[in-house]
């Protein structure tokens, strides 16, 4: 198989891992004020992702690095043309990391509230913008003969892309609620389960409209299979949530994300970034690195990927138990005098 195609598929796999894992991180962040209604409740909610959120971001770094090395033309055009939305996403990720680390450092309600809102807002921003970005990549953007983006910020604000933002928002909310249903106990779990049952249906409805629109307007025949996989996954997540089987609901949501990524990348191929007029598109062939570079990358990936998967699996296994407010001490933060 052509190594450029291999790396196109591997980048899709990396994005799948990122969206499955970071998706529930964003969902948990957005749900902090809804599911965790008190300081202890919010601490429980945040502690469910405390040991894993930074490891989940490794998938984003790897996907970006793989794109840079395997498809430098794609990387250059996308990161320059999509500069503002990607800058907002990266800024949100940085602020979120600081907020998670700083929230519990001082025993002061105002301090905690400000960082809580930082976590909440910086979960909402990427949850919407990733959907907007991927929708525009599939739809195509204006490129000149040098494969440079020639649109502006408002180019991204088309109806299809905005619907994509709504879809990822709802999908991550559903994913986060299901994750909290698996990782918490007591009243936090009860609220998470109730919310998951409601939001999973909304996620299914919005995703169905977006996926059919994408398939009919921008895709090819075989990706109807990916649409079916995504639809079955979201329907399974909704049904399993209603039945109280949240382990199966989480798996079904993950399957839906696999189907959605297959739909996106299957619709793109052989392009990696279509020109909206179909003239100056970047393709797997004209955007890829040399065979030597791709060969070296393939060997590195073959060695390092099992190691990364092993330590992430170990992390999830170690921190697999449920949390409740009974596990949270009254006060563990530093206390400073305000005088």
């Amino acid at each position: 198989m052509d190594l450029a195609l291999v790396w196109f598929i591997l980048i899709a796999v990396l994005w799948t891992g990122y969206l499955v894992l970071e998706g529930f991180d964003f969902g948990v962040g957005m749900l902090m004020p809804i599911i965790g209604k008190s300081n202890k409740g919010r601490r429980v909610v945040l502690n469910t992702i405390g040991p894993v959120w930074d490891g989940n971001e490794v998938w984003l770094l790897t996907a970006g690095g793989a794109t840079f090395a395997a498809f430098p033309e794609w990387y250059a055009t996308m990161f320059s043309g999509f500069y503002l939305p990607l800058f907002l996403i990266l800024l949100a990720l940085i602020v979120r990391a600081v907020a998670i680390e700083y929230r519990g450092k001082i025993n002061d309600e105002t301090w905690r509230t400000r960082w809580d809102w930082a976590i909440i807002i910086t979960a909402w921003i990427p949850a919407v913008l990733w959907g907007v970005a991927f929708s525009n990549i599939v739809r195509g953007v204006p490129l000149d003969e040098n494969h440079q983006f020639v649109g502006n910020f408002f180019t991204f604000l088309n109806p299809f892309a905005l619907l994509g933002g709504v879809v990822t928002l709802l999908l991550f909310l559903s994913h986060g609620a299901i994750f909290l249903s698996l990782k918490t106990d007591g009243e936090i779990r009860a609220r998470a389960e109730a919310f998951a049952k409601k939001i999973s249906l909304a996620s299914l409805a919005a995703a169905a409209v977006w996926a059919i629109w994408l398939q009919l307007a921008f895709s090819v025949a075989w990706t109807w299979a990916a649409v079916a996989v995504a639809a079955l996954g979201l329907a399974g997540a909704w049904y399993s949530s209603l039945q109280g089987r949240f382990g199966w609901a989480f798996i079904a949501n993950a399957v839906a994300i696999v189907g959605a990524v297959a739909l996106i990348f299957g619709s793109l191929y052989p392009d990696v970034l279509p020109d909206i007029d179909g003239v100056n598109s970047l393709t797997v062939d004209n955007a890829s690195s040399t065979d030597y570079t791709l060969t070296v990358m393939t060997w590195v990936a073959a060695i390092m990927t099992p190691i990364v998967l092993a330590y992430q699996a170990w992390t999830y296994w170690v921190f697999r138990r449920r949390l409740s407010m009974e596990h949270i001490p009254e006060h563990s933060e530093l206390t400073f005098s305000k005088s």
Side-chain angles (χ1 to χ4, degrees):
M1 184 183 290
D2 179 22
L3 284 178
L5 176 56
V6 169
W7 274 97
F8 180 75
I9 295 170
L10 288 176
I11 288 170
V13 172
L14 292 170
W15 277 109
T16 302
Y18 174 71
L19 295 174
V20 168
L21 297 176
E22 191 82 314
F24 67 72
D25 286 348
F26 293 143
V28 167
M30 290 186 286
L31 290 171
M32 278 184 65
I34 301 171
I35 306 300
K37 294 183 178 294
S38 63
N39 176 46
K40 271 195 174 184
R42 291 189 290 273
R43 285 170 67 185
V44 170
V45 170
L46 190 58
N47 284 356
T48 61
I49 62 171
V52 298
W53 68 268
D54 47 356
N56 294 342
E57 288 190 352
V58 170
W59 291 83
L60 174 62
L61 298 175
T62 310
T67 304
F68 171 76
F71 298 99
E73 288 275 352
W74 184 15
Y75 181 93
T77 300
M78 184 168 61
F79 276 76
S80 59
F82 288 61
Y83 181 82
L84 182 56
L86 291 176
F87 172 78
L88 291 174
I89 290 171
L90 292 175
L91 179 62
L93 294 178
I94 292 168
V95 173
R96 185 184 67 146
V98 174
I100 290 173
E101 296 297 330
Y102 276 33
R103 180 194 186 275
K105 298 303 183 186
I106 298 177
N107 182 30
D108 179 75
E109 191 62 32
T110 301
W111 172 274
R112 285 192 295 264
T113 299
R114 287 172 178 170
W115 289 118
D116 283 347
W117 278 108
I119 294 169
I120 294 161
I121 293 169
T122 56
W124 279 81
I125 291 171
V128 173
L129 290 183
W130 280 129
V132 173
F134 276 109
S135 297
N136 276 295
I137 290 172
V138 174
R139 177 178 177 267
V141 293
L143 302 175
D144 63 17
E145 62 276 7
N146 297 314
H147 301 137
Q148 297 298 309
F149 177 76
V150 291
N152 54 52
F153 177 74
F154 296 101
T155 302
F156 303 122
L157 303 182
N158 55 82
F160 176 70
L162 294 176
L163 177 59
V166 172
V167 170
T168 50
L169 173 68
L170 294 174
L171 180 58
F172 293 162
L173 279 170
S174 172
H175 208 37
I178 291 169
F179 178 77
L180 287 172
S181 300
L182 291 172
K183 287 290 295 176
T184 60
D185 219 336
E187 60 184 271
I188 302 294
R189 178 182 178 183
R191 285 199 288 266
E193 290 180 352
F195 189 84
K197 293 173 183 178
K198 298 174 184 177
I199 199 67
S200 54
L201 181 59
S203 176
L204 171 61
V209 175
W210 179 81
I212 292 172
W213 187 350
L214 188 159
Q215 179 64 40
L216 294 177
F218 310 111
S219 199
V220 293
W222 76 263
T223 52
W224 277 112
V227 174
V229 169
L232 289 172
L234 291 173
W238 172 57
Y239 179 77
S240 297
S241 296
L242 292 179
Q243 300 299 310
R245 303 174 70 178
F246 289 96
W248 285 109
F250 187 85
I251 293 171
N253 246 0
V255 169
I257 293 172
V258 172
V261 174
L263 174 61
I264 290 169
F265 278 77
S267 302
L268 280 174
Y269 186 80
D271 295 335
V272 292
L273 186 60
D275 173 26
I276 199 166
D277 295 323
V279 177
N280 301 309
S281 298
L282 279 167
T283 68
V284 169
D285 292 328
N286 68 23
S288 67
S289 293
T290 64
D291 284 342
Y292 178 77
T293 300
L294 297 176
T295 300
V296 172
M297 290 176 62
T298 303
W299 279 106
V300 172
I303 295 169
M304 297 303 299
T305 302
I307 297 174
V308 173
L309 292 175
Y311 83 68
Q312 275 212 297
W314 178 81
T315 302
Y316 278 92
W317 175 255
V318 169
F319 297 102
R320 66 189 182 278
R321 298 188 183 280
R322 291 181 180 272
L323 299 173
S324 68
M325 287 196 284
E326 286 71 27
H327 296 124
I328 303 297
E330 285 297 329
H331 168 53
S332 61
E333 299 92 344
L334 299 173
T335 303
F336 294 106
S337 171
K338 293 186 177 181
S339 60

